[in-house]
Amino acid sequence: MTIIIEQPQLEMSQVNQDKKISSETKDLVLDGGFVVPKTVPNNTGLAAEDLVSNNDFLAPEINSFGRSFRDYDAESERQKGVEEFYRLQHINQTYDYVKRMREEYGKLNRVEMTIWECCELLNEVVDDSDPDLDEPQIMHLLQSAEAIRKDYPDEDWLHLTALIHDLGKVLLLPSFGGLPQWAVVGDTFPLGCAFDEANVHYKYFKENPDYNNPAYTTKNGIYTEGCGFDNVMISWGHDDYMYLVAKENGTTLPPAALFIIRYHSFYPLHTGGAYKHLMNEEDAKNLKWLKVFNKYDLYSKSKEKIDVEKVKPYYLSLIEKYFPAKLRW
């Protein structure tokens, strides 16, 4: 699949040359002829299960608005809204709040429906925390899934993980409680320990009630080093909710898929390198897959539409393989 991202215009001769390169190497082609080349890692001597893939692409530097990805300082009306989102999120996401939300939504008593029905509900959702895209979420899901499917054709579990990773954003809809954006989307982070400066717009944590709680102000806080993220309270949102839905409905997706779903917005960890002292060995193993997934989650965002009806039969077959027909939400 070709992922097209709006780019500045190039001279036609350069465009043609880039397209020639792309046809020879089967690399990812961006609008304007920009090529995103694949890289093949050197032989590392690692065991087969430690190698995630020898298919990978170098991420583009410009998003669908013509600016750098995840640039939270650029001057624009959308950036102002994104910063206000993070101000509210950092103030309101407390340890007690997250504990309460996990208990409430862990009941999975809202509705019964299929995975695809949930995908269609996302036509009504736009993520206010995202500085890179303002399209309905189902387009982002399919863009991510199709990009991964192109480069990792044999990892069907990863294709499906990409399709469903954001389904928890239905929490924004009235039938799921109509939660505010700050309680559903955006970067996630641990509660119960000191807030790390790797968090975007860190300054707003100073207004969070937990910021001055002595039990939560040290590096480890209430946790022990190497305790594992399963034992850490992470800020509430669509990630944790979809993880609960998948796990409690008995999915047969592998552990790496559940890790990706639960922590794909944990940018302070997988991009900033923070909070690694809380990881255990299983987390470290799954983090390799999350870093692979993250490139496709972030850099496949574009204005290019996917033909939903064309790809739908394939994803329905994966849903049937890894999930029951109806799920509790």
Side-chain angles (χ1 to χ4, degrees), residues 15-238:
V15 171
N16 291 336
Q17 179 64 24
D18 285 343
K19 288 183 177 178
K20 180 180 179 182
I21 294 172
S22 68
S23 65
E24 293 172 351
T25 63
K26 293 183 169 60
D27 288 334
L28 200 64
V29 183
L30 307 183
D31 192 18
F34 282 82
V35 177
V36 182
K38 291 180 182 178
T39 60
V40 180
N42 295 326
N43 187 350
T44 63
L46 294 174
E49 61 268 19
D50 292 325
L51 294 174
V52 291
S53 176
N54 60 6
N55 290 319
D56 201 2
F57 68 82
L58 298 177
E61 296 181 355
I62 302 175
N63 67 14
S64 59
F65 296 110
R67 296 189 293 272
S68 298
F69 281 89
R70 287 180 60 83
D71 184 351
Y72 291 96
D73 298 317
E75 287 293 329
S76 72
E77 288 304 312
R78 182 156 183 80
Q79 301 306 111
K80 292 176 183 177
V82 170
E83 180 165 354
E84 173 61 12
F85 161 86
Y86 277 107
R87 186 185 73 83
L88 293 172
Q89 185 207 50
H90 291 355
I91 292 173
N92 291 290
Q93 289 270 4
T94 65
Y95 184 94
D96 288 341
Y97 172 78
V98 176
K99 182 179 179 181
R100 187 168 67 250
M101 297 302 283
R102 291 197 94 240
E103 290 173 353
E104 173 61 26
Y105 281 90
K107 298 173 184 176
L108 301 180
N109 59 1
R110 299 277 167 173
V111 69
E112 285 193 6
M113 63 179 171
T114 67
I115 289 284
W116 193 262
E117 285 172 335
C118 190
C119 288
E120 292 178 332
L121 281 180
L122 287 197
N123 279 323
E124 305 173 37
V125 173
V126 173
D127 185 342
D128 286 350
S129 73
D130 193 339
D132 299 319
L133 191 68
D134 57 1
E135 295 292 311
Q137 290 298 298
I138 192 170
M139 276 298 113
H140 164 53
L141 299 184
L142 288 170
Q143 287 166 356
S144 299
E146 285 293 282
I148 291 177
R149 182 182 175 189
K150 172 182 177 289
D151 284 354
Y152 293 79
D154 298 327
E155 307 293 344
D156 67 355
W157 66 269
L158 196 55
H159 312 164
L160 182 58
T161 300
L163 180 74
I164 69 173
H165 76 282
D166 274 348
L167 291 188
K169 291 181 180 180
V170 293
L171 291 173
L172 293 167
L173 302 176
S175 57
F176 285 82
L179 297 183
Q181 290 263 342
W182 60 259
V184 180
V185 298
D187 292 10
T188 57
F189 47 87
L191 284 306
C193 60
F195 299 113
D196 194 281
E197 293 187 11
N199 288 291
V200 63
H201 293 305
Y202 166 83
K203 59 188 177 184
Y204 295 120
F205 282 119
K206 295 179 180 180
E207 301 178 56
N208 186 302
D210 288 356
Y211 186 83
N212 295 312
N213 186 328
Y216 303 154
T217 55
T218 63
K219 184 177 181 179
N220 287 336
I222 62 175
Y223 310 112
T224 58
E225 189 165 336
C227 64
F229 289 131
D230 277 349
N231 298 304
V232 175
M233 192 76 78
I234 305 292
S235 55
W236 174 252
H238 71 281

Side-chain angles (χ1 to χ4, degrees), residues 271-291:
T271 301
Y275 301 108
K276 286 187 175 180
H277 61 287
L278 299 175
M279 293 196 311
N280 59 22
E281 291 183 6
E282 187 69 14
D283 293 332
K285 182 178 179 180
N286 289 329
L287 183 59
K288 297 176 183 179
W289 275 114
L290 177 53
K291 287 187 174 182

